[in-house]
Amino acid sequence: MTSTNPSAEVKSSIIGPEGLPARIAELELDGKTERELRDHPEERGEILLDAAAVLQSDGELSRALAVFQYLIEEAVDREDAQYATVGKIDVLLEQGNEAAADAELQDLWSHGPMEGPAVLLGELLEGNGRLEEALTWFDFACRVHLHGSVKHLGDVDLAYVPELVGRARVRGALGRAADEFDVLVGTNRENGPSD
């Protein structure tokens, strides 16, 4: 009976014997990022998301888009691919390419977004003044809470439920009447964090 080393299997499937895969090498990432990818291939998604965010903040939008696109196509984890899609949408909006951003939004919606990426999209769209769309994404991220009772959230620290906080904020900005979930968020803010 032979034993397997899952870490070695993951490493060889992602990195290969000659170093980084050609597509990652083509991204021309800095040396530190490439070392992290070699040393921690199981964290590839997070490492590349961070690298793309740095490129975007440095104004290297084309390179950031290339990294996000790589992750969308090659991510091992579906959630990483969806976070990369959010990053791509952010860059497209920053470039003023709303048509391409809208196409990415529609594609993500049609494939069934996950909660974390939906929350980030709500925040991104809110920050771009697209409040109705932001509310749609926040509502989606909150769907489990909204189908339940607010009583189940009584002892929950809302810092860990950003989808409800974002939803309440956008609903307020749109002038919607507060529902029980909005009231819970407002009461939590008034009472402050409990220690």
Side-chain angles (χ1 to χ4, degrees):
M1 183 169 159
T2 59
S3 65
T4 60
N5 179 345
S7 178
E9 287 177 14
V10 168
K11 200 170 204 173
S12 67
S13 70
I14 295 173
I15 301 300
E18 300 301 319
L20 295 173
R23 282 204 63 201
I24 290 180
E26 288 170 7
L27 298 174
E28 298 179 357
L29 302 169
D30 63 55
K32 178 180 180 244
T33 300
E34 288 187 355
R35 278 190 305 281
E36 288 177 356
L37 288 167
R38 284 188 188 96
D39 294 344
H40 305 285
E42 71 283 358
E43 296 175 19
R44 173 175 62 166
E46 185 177 333
I47 293 166
L48 290 173
L49 286 169
D50 289 345
V54 169
L55 289 168
Q56 183 179 357
S57 69
D58 288 346
E60 296 192 47
L61 302 184
S62 295
R63 289 183 65 206
L65 271 178
V67 175
F68 287 133
Q69 189 62 43
Y70 171 84
L71 263 174
I72 290 166
E73 295 170 8
E74 303 290 338
V76 174
D77 183 278
R78 178 175 171 242
E79 191 171 34
D80 287 342
Q82 289 197 2
Y83 279 122
T85 301
V86 174
K88 181 178 181 180
I89 291 166
D90 189 16
V91 171
L92 291 169
L93 289 172
E94 189 174 339
Q95 291 177 326
N97 192 345
E98 289 200 24
D102 290 343
E104 292 291 334
L105 281 164
Q106 183 60 41
D107 187 55
L108 182 57
W109 186 263
S110 70
H111 285 92
M114 299 175 80
E115 184 178 297
V119 172
L120 281 185
L121 273 171
E123 292 171 351
L124 175 62
L125 292 167
E126 178 187 6
N128 280 275
R130 296 168 63 159
L131 299 181
E132 290 288 348
E133 290 172 275
L135 183 57
T136 298
W137 288 91
F138 281 127
D139 280 342
F140 178 84
C142 293
R143 67 195 181 286
V144 172
H145 302 302
L146 299 177
H147 290 302
S149 168
V150 74
K151 293 176 189 171
H152 292 106
L153 293 166
D155 295 332
V156 173
D157 181 351
L158 291 181
Y160 298 103
V161 194
E163 60 272 23
L164 283 176
V165 175
R167 178 181 179 272
R169 189 176 54 241
V170 171
R171 284 173 52 83
L174 288 169
R176 304 276 170 89
D179 64 12
E180 63 181 343
F181 295 96
D182 300 336
V183 170
L184 176 67
V185 170
T187 302
N188 186 271
R189 283 185 183 149
E190 290 171 11
N191 295 336
S194 57
D195 294 325

